[in-house]
Amino acid sequence: MNDRKGFLQGGPSGLTERVVSISASAAELKIPFRGGYEHFKATERHQITAEGKLPVYEWTGRTAVAE
């Protein structure tokens, strides 16, 4: 079972879920959101949350998905 988590920083304001599950070696995350994907890249920073001290993933851009 994978219970590692990361903290998302930046991106669209409507993206309310900021603590997400991550794989052990995730350098980049692709989060589905409103007909596309928000992209986040690992940083050296950490954020203190209710879930503990989590690695920070910073928003780098968006990919729209054609419908």
Side-chain angles (χ1 to χ4, degrees):
M1 184 166 111
N2 181 0
D3 60 349
R4 292 183 50 105
K5 297 189 183 223
F7 181 81
L8 304 179
Q9 184 175 60
S13 61
L15 186 63
T16 57
E17 192 65 37
R18 293 295 170 168
V19 174
V20 296
S21 294
I22 61 171
S23 65
S25 61
E28 295 185 18
L29 301 176
K30 186 167 79 170
I31 308 295
F33 183 70
R34 292 188 182 161
Y37 292 96
E38 304 301 329
H39 299 271
F40 294 83
K41 187 173 183 178
T43 70
E44 296 293 321
R45 299 185 312 274
H46 287 81
Q47 177 76 30
I48 302 297
T49 72
E51 309 256 351
K53 185 177 178 181
L54 303 178
V56 171
Y57 286 78
E58 187 171 54
W59 185 76
T60 58
R62 181 174 206 291
T63 301
V65 176
E67 294 185 21

Short mmCIF file of all heavy atoms in Angstrom, two decimals:
data_model
loop_
_atom_site.label_atom_id
_atom_site.label_comp_id
_atom_site.label_asym_id
_atom_site.label_seq_id
_atom_site.Cartn_x
_atom_site.Cartn_y
_atom_site.Cartn_z
N MET A 1 0.84 -1.19 0.00
CA MET A 1 0.00 0.00 0.00
C MET A 1 0.88 1.25 0.00
O MET A 1 1.85 1.33 0.74
CB MET A 1 -0.91 -0.02 1.23
CG MET A 1 -1.89 1.13 1.26
SD MET A 1 -3.16 0.83 2.48
CE MET A 1 -2.75 2.05 3.68
N ASN A 2 0.54 2.24 -0.81
CA ASN A 2 1.32 3.47 -0.93
C ASN A 2 0.62 4.57 -0.12
O ASN A 2 -0.46 4.99 -0.45
CB ASN A 2 1.42 3.88 -2.39
CG ASN A 2 2.23 5.13 -2.58
OD1 ASN A 2 2.73 5.71 -1.62
ND2 ASN A 2 2.36 5.57 -3.79
N ASP A 3 1.28 5.01 0.96
CA ASP A 3 0.66 6.07 1.77
C ASP A 3 1.52 7.32 1.79
O ASP A 3 1.35 8.18 2.63
CB ASP A 3 0.38 5.58 3.19
CG ASP A 3 1.65 5.14 3.92
OD1 ASP A 3 2.70 5.02 3.27
OD2 ASP A 3 1.57 4.93 5.13
N ARG A 4 2.45 7.45 0.82
CA ARG A 4 3.25 8.67 0.71
C ARG A 4 2.38 9.77 0.15
O ARG A 4 1.53 9.54 -0.69
CB ARG A 4 4.46 8.43 -0.18
CG ARG A 4 5.48 7.49 0.44
CD ARG A 4 6.68 7.33 -0.44
NE ARG A 4 7.20 8.62 -0.87
CZ ARG A 4 8.31 9.19 -0.40
NH1 ARG A 4 9.01 8.58 0.51
NH2 ARG A 4 8.72 10.34 -0.85
N LYS A 5 2.64 10.99 0.62
CA LYS A 5 1.84 12.13 0.18
C LYS A 5 2.75 13.30 -0.18
O LYS A 5 3.88 13.38 0.26
CB LYS A 5 0.86 12.53 1.26
CG LYS A 5 -0.13 11.42 1.55
CD LYS A 5 -1.23 11.84 2.43
CE LYS A 5 -2.08 10.61 2.68
NZ LYS A 5 -3.46 10.83 2.61
N GLY A 6 2.20 14.21 -0.98
CA GLY A 6 2.89 15.43 -1.36
C GLY A 6 1.94 16.61 -1.28
O GLY A 6 0.72 16.44 -1.25
N PHE A 7 2.51 17.81 -1.24
CA PHE A 7 1.72 19.04 -1.15
C PHE A 7 1.85 19.81 -2.46
O PHE A 7 2.96 20.07 -2.92
CB PHE A 7 2.22 19.90 0.01
CG PHE A 7 1.45 21.17 0.19
CD1 PHE A 7 0.25 21.17 0.86
CD2 PHE A 7 1.93 22.36 -0.32
CE1 PHE A 7 -0.48 22.34 1.01
CE2 PHE A 7 1.22 23.54 -0.17
CZ PHE A 7 0.01 23.53 0.50
N LEU A 8 0.70 20.15 -3.08
CA LEU A 8 0.68 20.89 -4.34
C LEU A 8 0.69 22.39 -4.08
O LEU A 8 -0.14 22.90 -3.32
CB LEU A 8 -0.56 20.54 -5.15
CG LEU A 8 -0.77 19.06 -5.47
CD1 LEU A 8 -2.06 18.88 -6.26
CD2 LEU A 8 0.42 18.49 -6.20
N GLN A 9 1.61 23.11 -4.73
CA GLN A 9 1.72 24.56 -4.58
C GLN A 9 1.51 25.21 -5.94
O GLN A 9 2.11 24.80 -6.94
CB GLN A 9 3.09 24.91 -4.03
CG GLN A 9 3.27 26.38 -3.74
CD GLN A 9 4.61 26.63 -3.10
OE1 GLN A 9 5.64 26.33 -3.68
NE2 GLN A 9 4.58 27.15 -1.89
N GLY A 10 0.65 26.23 -5.98
CA GLY A 10 0.36 26.92 -7.22
C GLY A 10 -0.75 26.24 -7.99
O GLY A 10 -1.46 25.38 -7.47
N GLY A 11 -0.91 26.63 -9.25
CA GLY A 11 -1.96 26.06 -10.08
C GLY A 11 -3.27 26.80 -9.91
O GLY A 11 -3.34 27.83 -9.23
N PRO A 12 -4.33 26.29 -10.52
CA PRO A 12 -5.63 26.97 -10.49
C PRO A 12 -6.23 27.03 -9.08
O PRO A 12 -6.07 26.09 -8.30
CB PRO A 12 -6.50 26.15 -11.42
CG PRO A 12 -5.84 24.83 -11.52
CD PRO A 12 -4.39 25.04 -11.27
N SER A 13 -6.90 28.13 -8.77
CA SER A 13 -7.49 28.29 -7.44
C SER A 13 -8.60 27.28 -7.17
O SER A 13 -8.87 26.94 -6.04
CB SER A 13 -8.02 29.72 -7.25
OG SER A 13 -9.03 29.98 -8.21
N GLY A 14 -9.24 26.77 -8.21
CA GLY A 14 -10.31 25.79 -8.04
C GLY A 14 -9.80 24.40 -7.66
O GLY A 14 -10.58 23.53 -7.30
N LEU A 15 -8.51 24.19 -7.73
CA LEU A 15 -7.91 22.92 -7.34
C LEU A 15 -7.77 22.92 -5.82
O LEU A 15 -6.77 23.37 -5.27
CB LEU A 15 -6.55 22.74 -8.03
CG LEU A 15 -5.85 21.41 -7.85
CD1 LEU A 15 -6.66 20.27 -8.44
CD2 LEU A 15 -4.48 21.46 -8.50
N THR A 16 -8.79 22.44 -5.15
CA THR A 16 -8.84 22.56 -3.69
C THR A 16 -8.08 21.46 -2.97
O THR A 16 -7.66 21.65 -1.84
CB THR A 16 -10.30 22.57 -3.20
OG1 THR A 16 -10.94 21.38 -3.65
CG2 THR A 16 -11.04 23.78 -3.73
N GLU A 17 -7.91 20.30 -3.58
CA GLU A 17 -7.19 19.20 -2.95
C GLU A 17 -5.69 19.45 -3.11
O GLU A 17 -5.14 19.32 -4.18
CB GLU A 17 -7.58 17.87 -3.59
CG GLU A 17 -7.10 16.67 -2.83
CD GLU A 17 -7.74 16.53 -1.47
OE1 GLU A 17 -8.93 16.84 -1.34
OE2 GLU A 17 -7.03 16.13 -0.54
N ARG A 18 -5.03 19.84 -2.03
CA ARG A 18 -3.60 20.20 -2.09
C ARG A 18 -2.69 19.09 -1.57
O ARG A 18 -1.51 19.09 -1.85
CB ARG A 18 -3.35 21.49 -1.31
CG ARG A 18 -3.99 22.70 -1.96
CD ARG A 18 -3.36 22.95 -3.29
NE ARG A 18 -4.08 23.95 -4.08
CZ ARG A 18 -3.61 24.50 -5.17
NH1 ARG A 18 -2.42 24.19 -5.61
NH2 ARG A 18 -4.32 25.35 -5.84
N VAL A 19 -3.22 18.14 -0.81
CA VAL A 19 -2.44 17.00 -0.34
C VAL A 19 -2.86 15.80 -1.18
O VAL A 19 -4.03 15.45 -1.21
CB VAL A 19 -2.67 16.74 1.17
CG1 VAL A 19 -1.96 15.47 1.61
CG2 VAL A 19 -2.21 17.93 1.99
N VAL A 20 -1.89 15.22 -1.90
CA VAL A 20 -2.19 14.11 -2.81
C VAL A 20 -1.26 12.94 -2.55
O VAL A 20 -0.16 13.11 -2.02
CB VAL A 20 -2.06 14.56 -4.28
CG1 VAL A 20 -3.08 15.63 -4.62
CG2 VAL A 20 -0.66 15.05 -4.59
N SER A 21 -1.69 11.76 -2.95
CA SER A 21 -0.84 10.56 -2.87
C SER A 21 0.21 10.63 -3.97
O SER A 21 -0.07 11.08 -5.08
CB SER A 21 -1.69 9.31 -3.04
OG SER A 21 -2.56 9.16 -1.97
N ILE A 22 1.41 10.18 -3.65
CA ILE A 22 2.51 10.16 -4.63
C ILE A 22 3.21 8.82 -4.57
O ILE A 22 3.13 8.11 -3.57
CB ILE A 22 3.53 11.29 -4.37
CG1 ILE A 22 4.17 11.14 -2.98
CG2 ILE A 22 2.88 12.66 -4.52
CD1 ILE A 22 5.33 12.09 -2.73
N SER A 23 3.91 8.47 -5.65
CA SER A 23 4.76 7.28 -5.63
C SER A 23 6.09 7.66 -4.99
O SER A 23 6.44 8.84 -4.91
CB SER A 23 4.95 6.72 -7.03
OG SER A 23 5.66 7.63 -7.82
N ALA A 24 6.85 6.69 -4.57
CA ALA A 24 8.09 6.93 -3.83
C ALA A 24 9.08 7.81 -4.58
O ALA A 24 9.78 8.61 -3.98
CB ALA A 24 8.74 5.61 -3.46
N SER A 25 9.16 7.69 -5.89
CA SER A 25 10.18 8.42 -6.63
C SER A 25 9.58 9.45 -7.60
O SER A 25 10.20 9.77 -8.61
CB SER A 25 11.05 7.43 -7.41
OG SER A 25 10.23 6.72 -8.32
N ALA A 26 8.42 9.95 -7.31
CA ALA A 26 7.74 10.87 -8.23
C ALA A 26 8.46 12.21 -8.32
O ALA A 26 8.52 12.96 -7.36
CB ALA A 26 6.31 11.09 -7.79
N ALA A 27 9.05 12.50 -9.49
CA ALA A 27 9.69 13.79 -9.72
C ALA A 27 8.69 14.78 -10.30
O ALA A 27 8.83 15.99 -10.15
CB ALA A 27 10.88 13.64 -10.66
N GLU A 28 7.66 14.25 -10.97
CA GLU A 28 6.61 15.07 -11.56
C GLU A 28 5.26 14.42 -11.31
O GLU A 28 5.16 13.19 -11.26
CB GLU A 28 6.83 15.25 -13.06
CG GLU A 28 8.10 16.02 -13.37
CD GLU A 28 8.26 16.29 -14.85
OE1 GLU A 28 7.28 16.19 -15.61
OE2 GLU A 28 9.39 16.60 -15.25
N LEU A 29 4.23 15.24 -11.16
CA LEU A 29 2.86 14.76 -10.98
C LEU A 29 1.99 15.33 -12.08
O LEU A 29 2.18 16.46 -12.52
CB LEU A 29 2.31 15.20 -9.62
CG LEU A 29 3.07 14.77 -8.38
CD1 LEU A 29 2.43 15.39 -7.15
CD2 LEU A 29 3.10 13.26 -8.27
N LYS A 30 0.99 14.55 -12.49
CA LYS A 30 0.01 14.98 -13.48
C LYS A 30 -1.36 14.76 -12.84
O LYS A 30 -1.78 13.62 -12.65
CB LYS A 30 0.17 14.16 -14.75
CG LYS A 30 -0.69 14.61 -15.89
CD LYS A 30 -0.26 13.99 -17.21
CE LYS A 30 -0.76 12.58 -17.34
NZ LYS A 30 -0.59 12.03 -18.68
N ILE A 31 -2.04 15.86 -12.48
CA ILE A 31 -3.30 15.80 -11.74
C ILE A 31 -4.46 16.12 -12.68
O ILE A 31 -4.49 17.21 -13.28
CB ILE A 31 -3.29 16.82 -10.57
CG1 ILE A 31 -2.05 16.64 -9.69
CG2 ILE A 31 -4.58 16.74 -9.76
CD1 ILE A 31 -1.95 15.33 -8.97
N PRO A 32 -5.44 15.21 -12.86
CA PRO A 32 -6.58 15.52 -13.70
C PRO A 32 -7.43 16.63 -13.09
O PRO A 32 -7.70 16.62 -11.88
CB PRO A 32 -7.38 14.21 -13.75
CG PRO A 32 -6.76 13.28 -12.78
CD PRO A 32 -5.50 13.89 -12.27
N PHE A 33 -7.83 17.61 -13.92
CA PHE A 33 -8.62 18.74 -13.41
C PHE A 33 -9.31 19.45 -14.58
O PHE A 33 -8.66 19.88 -15.52
CB PHE A 33 -7.70 19.72 -12.66
CG PHE A 33 -8.42 20.87 -12.03
CD1 PHE A 33 -9.24 20.68 -10.93
CD2 PHE A 33 -8.28 22.14 -12.54
CE1 PHE A 33 -9.90 21.75 -10.35
CE2 PHE A 33 -8.93 23.22 -11.96
CZ PHE A 33 -9.75 23.01 -10.86
N ARG A 34 -10.62 19.56 -14.51
CA ARG A 34 -11.44 20.31 -15.47
C ARG A 34 -11.06 20.10 -16.94
O ARG A 34 -10.68 21.03 -17.64
CB ARG A 34 -11.40 21.79 -15.14
CG ARG A 34 -12.09 22.13 -13.85
CD ARG A 34 -12.20 23.61 -13.67
NE ARG A 34 -12.82 23.90 -12.37
CZ ARG A 34 -12.74 25.05 -11.76
NH1 ARG A 34 -12.09 26.05 -12.31
NH2 ARG A 34 -13.34 25.22 -10.60
N GLY A 35 -11.13 18.87 -17.38
CA GLY A 35 -10.90 18.57 -18.79
C GLY A 35 -9.46 18.62 -19.23
O GLY A 35 -9.16 18.81 -20.41
N GLY A 36 -8.54 18.48 -18.32
CA GLY A 36 -7.13 18.49 -18.66
C GLY A 36 -6.30 17.98 -17.50
O GLY A 36 -6.81 17.31 -16.62
N TYR A 37 -5.01 18.29 -17.54
CA TYR A 37 -4.10 17.88 -16.47
C TYR A 37 -3.27 19.06 -16.01
O TYR A 37 -2.76 19.82 -16.83
CB TYR A 37 -3.15 16.78 -16.97
CG TYR A 37 -3.85 15.49 -17.26
CD1 TYR A 37 -4.25 15.18 -18.55
CD2 TYR A 37 -4.11 14.58 -16.24
CE1 TYR A 37 -4.91 13.99 -18.82
CE2 TYR A 37 -4.77 13.39 -16.50
CZ TYR A 37 -5.16 13.10 -17.79
OH TYR A 37 -5.81 11.92 -18.05
N GLU A 38 -3.12 19.19 -14.72
CA GLU A 38 -2.23 20.18 -14.11
C GLU A 38 -0.92 19.46 -13.82
O GLU A 38 -0.93 18.35 -13.28
CB GLU A 38 -2.83 20.76 -12.83
CG GLU A 38 -4.20 21.39 -13.01
CD GLU A 38 -4.24 22.53 -14.01
OE1 GLU A 38 -3.23 23.25 -14.14
OE2 GLU A 38 -5.28 22.71 -14.66
N HIS A 39 0.19 20.08 -14.18
CA HIS A 39 1.50 19.47 -14.00
C HIS A 39 2.25 20.13 -12.85
O HIS A 39 2.27 21.36 -12.75
CB HIS A 39 2.32 19.60 -15.30
CG HIS A 39 1.66 18.91 -16.45
ND1 HIS A 39 1.90 17.60 -16.75
CD2 HIS A 39 0.77 19.35 -17.36
CE1 HIS A 39 1.18 17.26 -17.80
NE2 HIS A 39 0.48 18.31 -18.20
N PHE A 40 2.86 19.32 -12.02
CA PHE A 40 3.61 19.77 -10.86
C PHE A 40 4.96 19.07 -10.84
O PHE A 40 5.06 17.89 -11.17
CB PHE A 40 2.86 19.45 -9.57
CG PHE A 40 1.56 20.20 -9.41
CD1 PHE A 40 0.41 19.73 -10.02
CD2 PHE A 40 1.50 21.36 -8.68
CE1 PHE A 40 -0.79 20.42 -9.89
CE2 PHE A 40 0.31 22.07 -8.54
CZ PHE A 40 -0.84 21.58 -9.15
N LYS A 41 6.00 19.80 -10.43
CA LYS A 41 7.36 19.25 -10.38
C LYS A 41 7.87 19.30 -8.93
O LYS A 41 7.65 20.28 -8.22
CB LYS A 41 8.27 20.07 -11.28
CG LYS A 41 9.65 19.51 -11.43
CD LYS A 41 10.44 20.27 -12.46
CE LYS A 41 11.79 19.63 -12.63
NZ LYS A 41 12.59 20.28 -13.65
N ALA A 42 8.59 18.27 -8.53
CA ALA A 42 9.13 18.19 -7.18
C ALA A 42 10.12 19.33 -6.93
O ALA A 42 10.84 19.75 -7.83
CB ALA A 42 9.83 16.85 -6.97
N THR A 43 10.11 19.84 -5.71
CA THR A 43 11.06 20.86 -5.28
C THR A 43 11.85 20.30 -4.10
O THR A 43 11.57 19.19 -3.63
CB THR A 43 10.35 22.16 -4.83
OG1 THR A 43 9.67 21.90 -3.59
CG2 THR A 43 9.36 22.67 -5.88
N GLU A 44 12.79 21.07 -3.60
CA GLU A 44 13.55 20.68 -2.40
C GLU A 44 12.83 21.09 -1.12
O GLU A 44 13.27 20.74 -0.03
CB GLU A 44 14.94 21.32 -2.44
CG GLU A 44 15.79 20.84 -3.61
CD GLU A 44 16.18 19.37 -3.50
OE1 GLU A 44 16.47 18.91 -2.37
OE2 GLU A 44 16.16 18.69 -4.53
N ARG A 45 11.74 21.84 -1.26
CA ARG A 45 11.02 22.38 -0.09
C ARG A 45 10.05 21.36 0.52
O ARG A 45 9.66 20.40 -0.14
CB ARG A 45 10.25 23.64 -0.49
CG ARG A 45 11.16 24.74 -1.00
CD ARG A 45 10.41 26.03 -1.28
NE ARG A 45 9.20 25.89 -2.06
CZ ARG A 45 9.15 25.89 -3.40
NH1 ARG A 45 10.25 25.97 -4.11
NH2 ARG A 45 8.00 25.79 -4.02
N HIS A 46 9.66 21.62 1.76
CA HIS A 46 8.65 20.84 2.46
C HIS A 46 7.63 21.78 3.08
O HIS A 46 7.94 22.94 3.36
CB HIS A 46 9.29 19.97 3.55
CG HIS A 46 10.06 18.83 2.99
ND1 HIS A 46 11.34 18.96 2.52
CD2 HIS A 46 9.72 17.54 2.80
CE1 HIS A 46 11.76 17.79 2.07
NE2 HIS A 46 10.79 16.91 2.23
N GLN A 47 6.42 21.28 3.27
CA GLN A 47 5.32 22.06 3.85
C GLN A 47 4.79 21.29 5.06
O GLN A 47 4.54 20.09 4.97
CB GLN A 47 4.21 22.24 2.81
CG GLN A 47 2.99 22.95 3.30
CD GLN A 47 3.21 24.45 3.43
OE1 GLN A 47 3.98 25.04 2.70
NE2 GLN A 47 2.52 25.06 4.37
N ILE A 48 4.61 21.99 6.18
CA ILE A 48 4.00 21.38 7.36
C ILE A 48 2.49 21.44 7.17
O ILE A 48 1.92 22.51 6.92
CB ILE A 48 4.39 22.13 8.65
CG1 ILE A 48 5.91 22.16 8.83
CG2 ILE A 48 3.70 21.52 9.86
CD1 ILE A 48 6.55 20.81 9.00
N THR A 49 1.82 20.28 7.25
CA THR A 49 0.37 20.20 7.08
C THR A 49 -0.20 19.36 8.21
O THR A 49 0.55 18.81 9.03
CB THR A 49 0.01 19.52 5.74
OG1 THR A 49 0.31 18.12 5.83
CG2 THR A 49 0.75 20.14 4.57
N ALA A 50 -1.51 19.22 8.22
CA ALA A 50 -2.16 18.34 9.20
C ALA A 50 -1.73 16.89 9.00
O ALA A 50 -1.82 16.08 9.90
CB ALA A 50 -3.68 18.47 9.08
N GLU A 51 -1.23 16.57 7.80
CA GLU A 51 -0.77 15.21 7.46
C GLU A 51 0.71 15.01 7.80
O GLU A 51 1.26 13.95 7.57
CB GLU A 51 -0.98 14.96 5.97
CG GLU A 51 -2.36 15.27 5.49
CD GLU A 51 -3.20 14.03 5.27
OE1 GLU A 51 -2.65 12.93 5.33
OE2 GLU A 51 -4.39 14.20 5.04
N GLY A 52 1.37 16.06 8.29
CA GLY A 52 2.79 15.99 8.61
C GLY A 52 3.61 16.87 7.67
O GLY A 52 3.09 17.69 6.93
N LYS A 53 4.93 16.67 7.68
CA LYS A 53 5.86 17.43 6.83
C LYS A 53 5.92 16.74 5.47
O LYS A 53 6.38 15.60 5.37
CB LYS A 53 7.23 17.46 7.48
CG LYS A 53 8.23 18.31 6.76
CD LYS A 53 9.55 18.33 7.53
CE LYS A 53 10.59 19.14 6.80
NZ LYS A 53 11.87 19.14 7.52
N LEU A 54 5.43 17.43 4.42
CA LEU A 54 5.30 16.82 3.10
C LEU A 54 6.19 17.52 2.07
O LEU A 54 6.38 18.73 2.14
CB LEU A 54 3.85 16.90 2.62
CG LEU A 54 2.80 16.26 3.52
CD1 LEU A 54 1.41 16.47 2.94
CD2 LEU A 54 3.08 14.79 3.72
N PRO A 55 6.69 16.76 1.07
CA PRO A 55 7.44 17.38 -0.01
C PRO A 55 6.51 18.28 -0.84
O PRO A 55 5.34 17.95 -1.05
CB PRO A 55 7.95 16.20 -0.84
CG PRO A 55 7.05 15.06 -0.49
CD PRO A 55 6.57 15.31 0.90
N VAL A 56 7.04 19.41 -1.31
CA VAL A 56 6.27 20.37 -2.09
C VAL A 56 6.47 20.10 -3.58
O VAL A 56 7.60 19.93 -4.05
CB VAL A 56 6.68 21.82 -1.76
CG1 VAL A 56 6.04 22.82 -2.71
CG2 VAL A 56 6.34 22.15 -0.32
N TYR A 57 5.36 20.08 -4.31
CA TYR A 57 5.35 19.97 -5.77
C TYR A 57 4.80 21.29 -6.31
O TYR A 57 3.68 21.68 -5.97
CB TYR A 57 4.48 18.80 -6.23
CG TYR A 57 5.14 17.48 -5.98
CD1 TYR A 57 5.16 16.91 -4.71
CD2 TYR A 57 5.77 16.80 -7.00
CE1 TYR A 57 5.78 15.70 -4.47
CE2 TYR A 57 6.40 15.58 -6.78
CZ TYR A 57 6.40 15.05 -5.51
OH TYR A 57 7.03 13.85 -5.29
N GLU A 58 5.57 21.96 -7.14
CA GLU A 58 5.22 23.28 -7.65
C GLU A 58 4.60 23.18 -9.04
O GLU A 58 5.10 22.43 -9.89
CB GLU A 58 6.47 24.15 -7.70
CG GLU A 58 6.21 25.59 -8.05
CD GLU A 58 7.48 26.40 -7.86
OE1 GLU A 58 8.52 26.05 -8.43
OE2 GLU A 58 7.41 27.40 -7.11
N TRP A 59 3.53 23.93 -9.28
CA TRP A 59 2.83 23.92 -10.55
C TRP A 59 3.72 24.42 -11.67
O TRP A 59 4.41 25.43 -11.54
CB TRP A 59 1.58 24.80 -10.44
CG TRP A 59 0.70 24.79 -11.64
CD1 TRP A 59 -0.16 23.79 -12.01
CD2 TRP A 59 0.55 25.82 -12.60
NE1 TRP A 59 -0.82 24.15 -13.16
CE2 TRP A 59 -0.40 25.39 -13.55
CE3 TRP A 59 1.14 27.06 -12.77
CZ2 TRP A 59 -0.78 26.18 -14.63
CZ3 TRP A 59 0.76 27.84 -13.85
CH2 TRP A 59 -0.19 27.39 -14.76
N THR A 60 3.72 23.69 -12.80
CA THR A 60 4.55 24.09 -13.94
C THR A 60 3.74 24.36 -15.21
O THR A 60 4.27 24.93 -16.16
CB THR A 60 5.61 23.01 -14.26
OG1 THR A 60 4.93 21.77 -14.53
CG2 THR A 60 6.58 22.85 -13.13
N GLY A 61 2.47 23.94 -15.24
CA GLY A 61 1.67 24.21 -16.43
C GLY A 61 0.47 23.28 -16.52
O GLY A 61 0.19 22.50 -15.63
N ARG A 62 -0.23 23.41 -17.65
CA ARG A 62 -1.47 22.66 -17.85
C ARG A 62 -1.49 22.08 -19.26
O ARG A 62 -1.00 22.69 -20.21
CB ARG A 62 -2.66 23.62 -17.72
CG ARG A 62 -3.99 22.97 -17.88
CD ARG A 62 -5.12 23.95 -17.58
NE ARG A 62 -6.31 23.29 -17.15
CZ ARG A 62 -7.09 22.52 -17.92
NH1 ARG A 62 -6.78 22.33 -19.17
NH2 ARG A 62 -8.17 21.96 -17.44
N THR A 63 -2.05 20.88 -19.38
CA THR A 63 -2.30 20.26 -20.67
C THR A 63 -3.80 20.07 -20.80
O THR A 63 -4.41 19.42 -19.95
CB THR A 63 -1.61 18.89 -20.78
OG1 THR A 63 -0.21 19.05 -20.59
CG2 THR A 63 -1.87 18.25 -22.12
N ALA A 64 -4.39 20.64 -21.85
CA ALA A 64 -5.83 20.45 -22.10
C ALA A 64 -6.02 19.15 -22.87
O ALA A 64 -5.18 18.73 -23.65
CB ALA A 64 -6.37 21.62 -22.91
N VAL A 65 -7.15 18.49 -22.61
CA VAL A 65 -7.48 17.25 -23.30
C VAL A 65 -8.65 17.56 -24.24
O VAL A 65 -9.69 18.06 -23.80
CB VAL A 65 -7.87 16.15 -22.28
CG1 VAL A 65 -8.32 14.90 -23.02
CG2 VAL A 65 -6.71 15.85 -21.36
N ALA A 66 -8.48 17.26 -25.51
CA ALA A 66 -9.54 17.48 -26.50
C ALA A 66 -10.70 16.52 -26.22
O ALA A 66 -10.48 15.35 -25.94
CB ALA A 66 -9.01 17.27 -27.90
N GLU A 67 -11.90 17.03 -26.30
CA GLU A 67 -13.08 16.18 -26.06
C GLU A 67 -13.77 15.82 -27.34
O GLU A 67 -13.72 16.43 -28.31
CB GLU A 67 -14.04 16.92 -25.14
CG GLU A 67 -13.42 17.11 -23.78
CD GLU A 67 -14.40 17.75 -22.80
OE1 GLU A 67 -15.62 17.67 -23.03
OE2 GLU A 67 -13.95 18.31 -21.83
#
